[in-house]
Amino acid sequence: PIELPLQAALPPCETLGPEFARVRALSATLTEGLDAEDQALQSMPDASPTKWHLAHTSWFFETLLLRPHAAGYHAHDARYALLFNSYYEALGPRHPRPQRGMLSRPTLAEVWAYRRHVDAAVQHFIECASPAAWSAAAPILALGLQHEQQHQELMLTDLLHAFSLNPLAPAWRGGVVPASGTAEPLRWHGLDPGLVEIGHDGAGFAFDNELPRHRVFVAPFELANRLVSNADYRDFIDDGGYRRPALWLSDGWALAQAQGWHAPPYWQPDDDGGWRQFTLHGLQAIDPAAPVCHLSAYEAAAYAAWAGARLPTEFEWETAARHSSTDASMTRYQLDRMLPQPSPGLLGEAWQWTSSAYAPYPGFRPLAGPAAEYNGKFMVNQLVLRGGSCATPPGHARVSYRNFFPAAARWQFSGLRLARDAR
Amino acid sequence: PIELPLQAALPPCETLGPEFARVRALSATLTEGLDAEDQALQSMPDASPTKWHLAHTSWFFETLLLRPHAAGYHAHDARYALLFNSYYEALGPRHPRPQRGMLSRPTLAEVWAYRRHVDAAVQHFIECASPAAWSAAAPILALGLQHEQQHQELMLTDLLHAFSLNPLAPAWRGGVVPASGTAEPLRWHGLDPGLVEIGHDGAGFAFDNELPRHRVFVAPFELANRLVSNADYRDFIDDGGYRRPALWLSDGWALAQAQGWHAPPYWQPDDDGGWRQFTLHGLQAIDPAAPVCHLSAYEAAAYAAWAGARLPTEFEWETAARHSSTDASMTRYQLDRMLPQPSPGLLGEAWQWTSSAYAPYPGFRPLAGPAAEYNGKFMVNQLVLRGGSCATPPGHARVSYRNFFPAAARWQFSGLRLARDAR
Amino acid sequence: PIELPLQAALPPCETLGPEFARVRALSATLTEGLDAEDQALQSMPDASPTKWHLAHTSWFFETLLLRPHAAGYHAHDARYALLFNSYYEALGPRHPRPQRGMLSRPTLAEVWAYRRHVDAAVQHFIECASPAAWSAAAPILALGLQHEQQHQELMLTDLLHAFSLNPLAPAWRGGVVPASGTAEPLRWHGLDPGLVEIGHDGAGFAFDNELPRHRVFVAPFELANRLVSNADYRDFIDDGGYRRPALWLSDGWALAQAQGWHAPPYWQPDDDGGWRQFTLHGLQAIDPAAPVCHLSAYEAAAYAAWAGARLPTEFEWETAARHSSTDASMTRYQLDRMLPQPSPGLLGEAWQWTSSAYAPYPGFRPLAGPAAEYNGKFMVNQLVLRGGSCATPPGHARVSYRNFFPAAARWQFSGLRLARDAR
Amino acid sequence: PIELPLQAALPPCETLGPEFARVRALSATLTEGLDAEDQALQSMPDASPTKWHLAHTSWFFETLLLRPHAAGYHAHDARYALLFNSYYEALGPRHPRPQRGMLSRPTLAEVWAYRRHVDAAVQHFIECASPAAWSAAAPILALGLQHEQQHQELMLTDLLHAFSLNPLAPAWRGGVVPASGTAEPLRWHGLDPGLVEIGHDGAGFAFDNELPRHRVFVAPFELANRLVSNADYRDFIDDGGYRRPALWLSDGWALAQAQGWHAPPYWQPDDDGGWRQFTLHGLQAIDPAAPVCHLSAYEAAAYAAWAGARLPTEFEWETAARHSSTDASMTRYQLDRMLPQPSPGLLGEAWQWTSSAYAPYPGFRPLAGPAAEYNGKFMVNQLVLRGGSCATPPGHARVSYRNFFPAAARWQFSGLRLARDAR
Ligand SMILES: [Fe+3]
Ligand SMILES: [Fe+3]
Ligand SMILES: [Fe+3]
Ligand SMILES: [Fe+3]
């Protein structure tokens, strides 16, 4: 049996039933206006088709919740076990990741039939499970919802990448996005944390990688009051930021040269010597005050070096977030403005690269059963990002949340907040 | 102006109008039963989505016929010039070939609107063109129809390749295809041609690469009465054909080792130690008497060496075809049996690899204008295939027809007919 | 001017002169018995020819010490600046790293002339420098000596890799290496460090990446009394360690599958179903009690998982090393036994993979001037190794020493020592 | 037994003995002035170290002549069978071609010991073989000599390529090579061959690929009186030849773009807006009248298209060579001028790309035994070059000689002579 010691108290079915419906419905909402062809695109091995995300998140409930826990459950289609397993070695063979875009079958309509089948079975389980079954399965249900939310963000970032390769510059949602006004002046907030507690504190859901809560010594440091803005970043470009190796990590410089980087990946020169940006709302003017995003960690670190600063560690960031007077919860999630905006809070708008490698916390134990592969096996060669983004579903991120990507990744809503040693 | 000296007499509009409608309608027929997602698949850089073929063949008429010759023609969408240009450097920049599968937009429905727009404009041109315009444009119209027929074959071979990567093994057209009976015993027909004329002889359409007709000396040789069958090829496999380097060309052996070849690409081991074959009709039993296909030239040559024979030259093949008592026209084109069958004729069922490199005939001149790029620039690193296949639209192939692919290509309906020196 | 705040007190020239001669002489000793052809081998981009190491270490003294500080110094050959710059962007263009093996010129003899030229100039500088020049340059001289020692280890590991590709299995030094007796039983030493000081403590030389000394909280843990032995590792292999994905980090499993790993890279099956190992002394029997080495971090982590343990963090390791009752200095450096041996000490024999990503210490500042590139720009995508190896020159490693390589690196003398959480 | 029907009459041992000594001695001469390190360079998989050529040509005699025919022969070192087999599958496993540069052992001195061992054994065989052994082996001895001559040319072209990657621009033989005066004006010679005989005519040695002599119909054509010169080619460059896709074969254009071609590979811009050329004599001024060389077939064909002409077929070339009033034998072979010079003859100075794919002649039969792999298995994906070059040893080339390389090859002494259809 899967052991998921994620939450002190089991969530009651009265809570999880509506929550399940709400989360699953958002996935549908995100695909509105997209053709079946749009939802079948896979633009690189790292990305997946929208349709695949829809099916995989259903497979997750089917495989981890319904098959082991829902008595009498019948799989919708036995062949889907192979097609929609992402990376779980313990759960059998998988369709090769780079070929997810080859799955014209099952069609989008068939994937929706699969989703409906799983939805009904899960709702039935929520309503009718025995207390013992519920006790065993509720943590998995909660995990499945968080999992679906993670894929909801990926659905958008993967689609954005695919659309960026189409010369017609399609928009997920159309319309002109107005500029967001003036950015706050950069200010530094000093902290002297000393020995602090890091990691999830026990209330509510957390992934295994946020645990256990443990002590870390954090020296005095300063953190910027806001994310680096597009205008800030344009200054870096104009000052030769992409041409000065002294600013760059060695791997980053090599990659930038090999791939010809000279701006963030979705920035395009406009006719006036300036830039515009390809977004989920199509080509838009650069919003100067808005946070820059779609940076690799290499670009983030080079910018920080240019600015005489550095990236924060994930421990500095979490410490600062716990001290922040602004509400730590993220509330903005606007389908008609799915790109970062200026914000006073520590969380939200753009994931913030840290200098911390993604590693297990002292005493880390992966979940039991197949969910053991959920986070632990990726704890090498990646950096932690903190804070959530404009595309993170409401209620998903939190102060202890650890997102992670390789330093070279540029297709996420990833930006940065400057830090520096205390003066 | 484009100079297309392909035909002695211009075809009259009374002929070309219905022919245009007939050819264009077949493209539609071929897509019946396919979802939009199926038609968007690109499984490798060499292949294109069905939808792209539908648009590109329309672009060809629009760009080479309507724009220069149809007064008052308005382009359906100016942006399609970039999207659906295949390889014509003279016609401006192109969307990168490996990213044709990224074009979820225009959608399939929009591509059909484009086709209808082009269809109407071409039909209007056919009906109303001035004699001068007609005289200039009719050869291009004829070329465009042949071009569309070429793509009709590629639509099927490209789709077959894409479907082969789906573990669900989708079928283009379903149903069990019955075996085709007993193969003819292998017999050899001897010829002693001497100095012969090779190339198109002036009646009807021909591509520039079939011209000019010229003299070639062909020594005595023998040609097999039929194509190599699946049963023949299975003997080759069983006799270690894929494990004996002495049978192989050096490049072929290296490729076969690197990619782990041990059978034709769509053959799969079945549970009884035998084989089945993935086809446009899904997984089917191997039909022993039917011609083997989807061979690379390397496999064809290795088989021939194993059989104590060799591939014919394209000149031997054409000479034999001109002498053949069987009707040179291909008549079988069955949507419910789109895989090779035994046949007494020289033409049809499976393209036949020759040992002849694709090269210009003496005195070759490419077409004037952008159509110059149609054939000539590919005359290196490829081999000629002769004879047409089960997927070649009726009326398209002919005795002088030269198809060409790199020796490594395995996704066409490509098989072989044995030849040997006269005894 | 280069600012090198590495040592509290400047080393006197009376010390550095003989030290310079001693270190430089060891490089010569290491090449004894090698032909010029051996010393020109570059077997992969990560490795360099012996000859290149000899020249590059001289270039380092010439470029950072002699040119800026030795009045009247004339470069031996102005063209060597390009050839022997390794990765210093600030010092101008470089010969491409993967083509170091193409430098048959300068010949080995010419490289030795270069070395002698630099040796003489440095010795002259040591004897005759003004106090001001000495004060500015002595830290660089010290750095250059440590730099040469680092390359002395690489000379051996790079040569071993190159020789491993030769079917003749050449030996750097010949002879049969006797087995080393019985390994200690595995025992665990528990520590409860709490808040500790990490980093160099100010006496003697240290690299910038060992600074500044800073506080880290280290939870209770246990560390094994010895390195994992060849016999231990053979048990892992025999138990299917290379076939069980659950033991592996995801990146490691993918790499192991892609490259067909089934044992450490220099292990070869012998005729009796066992193994032998290619070493600097040629093919040798596996020494069961000796530390396993030439592991990637992926293999090290998989072994640890199999053993129910984990890799230590670099902080745990350093803490344990400071507590160790065994002498922290490494004394064994035997040219006739250049492969790991059992040892009671924390240091020596085989570099020990840690789970710690190579990152700047809080407050890290790279050296001023071109030496800024020495360490800092590599602080991503690598893991820290601790402890030194059998090939580390005497006096080079220390408790605070941080070596670093990508997790995939397998050509170093890299092994592991198990750690686990306190029970 | 190997059946080598290459020559009507067996060469007498009185002839072959001195010839053997002479050919073997030239290999030594070619390495004069080179260090052991120079002779160990392998700059790409297609090229081999000088030392490897020296050993492989000895291996050829040992394996094909001495082992089967010389009673009592003892192999010099049994391990060399693996190291110095180039591509003969029938002769067992081979050291991987791309790793020939890793063979620092055997050293150059050891390779010379191997050569001396083979030399002595061959000379002893020549002197003492029984008539039966001589009759069986003499053709192989003759083949071995031609084989060594082929490698003598490769020794120089491979070395040139390796040296070109060294920023020091080493010279094989030093000194300034004076310009060669004025080129002949371009003139066209018309021929109307009709049905001609192609292939070796029976007197003297020929490779199997020159046989059998057979009839080919060749239409009227014109051939240029001289090779295309450097000055001619500079006009092509200046006229945008490398920027105009219409001039290029499709594969060639793609490769030229991908690799950034803008001149022949060894041409380098000089400081005056002109060019200089890296040669076996180091960097030299471009010699305007001298034949251009180191062209790929793509560049040759593009030049020809630009000049309103085309490449000849190999049949046109051979026909013209047989009609040529100039002596067909090549006499110039100057170690101090190992680069093409103007010449009135059809043969010599630079290999001439033809448009003919390398294919078997009608009735082609490879040699029996392992020598079957010598030529036949490469008869795909390559083009024929005719005529020999400045680096072809005297007496090696002839009118029927067929050299062959992939169209992309640029490291040979390959140029072109224009042809065109008769007016
Ligand atoms: Fe997932
Ligand atoms: Fe086309
Ligand atoms: Fe260095
Ligand atoms: Fe050879």
Side-chain angles (χ1 to χ4, degrees), chain C residues 33-44 51 77 79-80 82-83 95 99 101-109 162-163 165-168 170-172, chain D residues 33-44 51 77 79-80 82-83 95 99 101-109 162-163 165-168 170-172:
Chain C
L34 296 177
D35 287 284
E37 297 170 63
D38 296 329
Q39 300 188 49
L41 294 173
Q42 181 179 32
S43 57
M44 59 173 171
K51 182 174 80 170
D77 188 321
R79 303 170 304 172
Y80 290 8
L82 177 122
L83 295 183
H95 186 62
Q99 292 186 8
M102 290 300 103
L103 299 176
S104 64
R105 315 285 178 91
T107 62
L108 181 60
F163 273 0
L165 300 178
N166 189 327
L168 303 188
W172 169 69
Chain D
L34 296 177
D35 286 284
E37 297 171 61
D38 297 328
Q39 300 186 50
L41 295 174
Q42 181 180 34
S43 56
M44 57 173 173
K51 183 174 78 170
D77 188 322
R79 304 171 304 171
Y80 290 7
L82 177 124
L83 295 182
H95 187 63
Q99 292 186 9
M102 290 300 102
L103 299 176
S104 64
R105 316 286 178 91
T107 62
L108 181 59
F163 273 0
L165 299 178
N166 189 326
L168 302 187
W172 168 68

Side-chain angles (χ1 to χ4, degrees), chain C residues 52-53 56-57 59-60 86-88 147 150-151 154 374:
Chain C
W52 190 92
H53 287 296
H56 163 70
T57 47
W59 167 91
F60 192 91
S86 53
Y87 55 64
Y88 296 84
H147 174 254
Q150 293 183 306
H151 280 274
L154 294 174
Y374 199 100

Side-chain angles (χ1 to χ4, degrees), chain D residues 52-53 56-57 59-60 84 86-88 147-148 150-151 154 374:
Chain D
W52 190 91
H53 287 296
H56 163 69
T57 48
W59 167 90
F60 192 91
F84 300 120
S86 53
Y87 56 65
Y88 295 85
H147 174 254
E148 181 129 4
Q150 292 182 307
H151 280 275
L154 293 173
Y374 199 100

Side-chain angles (χ1 to χ4, degrees), chain A residues 33-38 40-43 51 79-80 82-83 95 99 101-109 162-163 165-168 170-171, chain B residues 33-38 40-43 51 79-80 82-83 95 99 101-109 162-163 165-168 170-171:
Chain A
L34 295 177
D35 287 285
E37 297 170 62
D38 297 328
L41 294 174
Q42 181 179 34
S43 56
K51 183 174 79 170
R79 304 171 303 173
Y80 290 8
L82 177 123
L83 296 183
H95 187 62
Q99 292 187 8
M102 290 300 102
L103 299 176
S104 64
R105 315 286 177 92
T107 62
L108 181 59
F163 273 0
L165 300 179
N166 189 327
L168 303 187
Chain B
L34 296 177
D35 288 283
E37 297 169 64
D38 298 328
L41 294 174
Q42 182 179 33
S43 56
K51 183 174 80 169
R79 303 171 303 172
Y80 290 8
L82 177 123
L83 294 183
H95 186 63
Q99 292 187 7
M102 290 300 104
L103 299 176
S104 65
R105 316 285 178 90
T107 62
L108 181 60
F163 273 1
L165 300 178
N166 190 327
L168 302 186

Side-chain angles (χ1 to χ4, degrees), chain C residues 161-217:
Chain C
H161 186 265
F163 273 0
S164 77
L165 300 178
N166 189 327
L168 303 188
W172 169 69
R173 293 282 193 281
V176 174
V177 181
S180 52
T182 312
E184 288 279 298
L186 185 74
R187 285 191 309 272
W188 295 96
H189 293 306
L191 285 94
D192 183 1
L195 200 58
V196 295
E197 298 266 314
I198 293 291
H200 187 62
D201 59 7
F205 178 88
F207 287 110
D208 55 2
N209 64 12
E210 302 169 53
L211 295 170
R213 192 166 171 87
H214 65 288
R215 277 172 287 179
V216 172
F217 184 83

